[in-house]
Amino acid sequence: MASAMQEANVLKKALHAGQKEPAMGFWQMIPGSNVSRVMARCGPSWILIDQEHGNIDDGAMHEAVAAIAACRVSPIVRIADNQAWMVKRALDAGAHGVLVPLLSFEADAKRLVASAKFPPVGVRGFGSPFPMERFHPDLTSSDYLKQANDALLTIVQIETKDGLANVDAIARVPGVDVLFVGPFDLGNNIGHPIVDGVMHDDLQAAIKKVLDTAIATGKKAGIFCTSGEQAKGYADL
């Protein structure tokens, strides 16, 4: 039986429901809880709050997470770097998962998972008063502590040459849930940057490798898209 937190994590439910339709989401790069609410009411499963390239500081991230979760949409936070304190801040705000850029090695993935999980699985510290109501108004801090390790999503971005070479080892790290392609950085790193929207065949092959690896290892895959047409093309793969 699913826990209260698992039930509330819309993206996690969608990814594990065996549905044929993809879980579509939006990207928030500017601050403002009203921006978050408007986006959340447009029907996505999730909204990515971008602290890597977006204009969103720690306070704005906290506000966005709360606003999105209140609309029964999963707030996912992309932190700026694979650092434990950044993972903790995002999850303590109540994020339903974290997206971490530029994962290149198996050791990076293991370190990330440790940062995102409470002991004995990981080393995440416990004590925030905020995340419980981002899942259910009656959730207690003890409930959160007991349920979080199995309810939150750990998403890694495959967007470097080393990450592509090591994608199988990264995918097999317990606790990694999703392989997410950053096509622009991946193209740059393999010598085929996306220019004027044109993607080289080698980049398309690299993206397909990530998808195939996710399927082979029982993980999920995602990708950043710049148009509905492009999103449909990848969803149909």
Side-chain angles (χ1 to χ4, degrees), residues 83-235:
Q83 296 187 36
W85 72 269
M86 293 184 182
V87 175
K88 179 162 56 179
R89 293 299 293 168
L91 296 182
D92 279 1
H96 290 190
V98 290
L99 173 63
V100 181
L102 302 169
L103 258 288
S104 294
F105 301 99
E106 179 184 5
D108 296 336
K110 289 181 176 178
R111 180 160 50 90
L112 167 60
V113 170
S115 300
K117 304 291 186 184
F118 291 124
V121 180
V123 297
R124 179 186 170 194
F126 174 70
S128 174
F130 305 121
M132 288 70 76
E133 67 178 36
R134 312 308 181 225
F135 295 87
H136 193 280
D138 296 328
L139 198 75
T140 67
S141 59
S142 294
D143 293 332
Y144 184 87
L145 177 62
K146 290 185 289 185
Q147 297 177 25
N149 280 359
D150 295 323
L152 304 178
L153 288 166
T154 301
I155 309 170
V156 302
Q157 276 198 269
I158 305 300
E159 51 185 353
T160 68
K161 189 174 183 179
D162 286 330
L164 184 65
N166 296 309
V167 66
D168 185 78
I170 292 170
R172 293 184 186 279
V173 171
V176 169
D177 297 298
V178 182
L179 306 178
F180 197 96
V181 175
F184 287 92
D185 277 332
L186 183 57
N188 292 342
N189 276 277
I190 65 172
H192 298 294
I194 299 173
V195 178
D196 296 327
V198 178
M199 300 175 71
H200 193 277
D201 287 346
D202 287 352
L203 176 55
Q204 295 284 19
I207 294 169
K208 182 65 162 50
K209 178 181 178 180
V210 176
L211 174 61
D212 290 344
T213 301
I215 293 171
T217 56
K219 303 299 173 75
K220 306 301 180 179
I223 189 169
F224 176 85
C225 296
T226 56
S227 70
E229 181 182 14
Q230 186 183 55
K232 184 179 186 307
Y234 284 116

Side-chain angles (χ1 to χ4, degrees), residues 13-74:
K13 282 184 66 177
L15 292 176
H16 291 88
Q19 62 183 36
K20 294 183 179 179
E21 294 297 318
M24 295 292 189
F26 299 148
W27 221 260
Q28 182 175 348
M29 299 187 74
I30 56 175
S33 56
N34 282 336
V35 174
S36 304
R37 292 186 189 96
V38 169
M39 294 174 71
R41 290 176 61 83
C42 291
S45 298
W46 54 279
I47 293 176
L48 189 289
I49 302 160
D50 192 354
Q51 290 196 286
E52 184 191 17
H53 295 304
N55 179 27
I56 297 180
D57 62 16
D58 189 77
M61 179 271 289
H62 274 73
E63 293 179 358
V65 166
I68 293 164
C71 295
R72 298 182 182 179
V73 173
S74 285

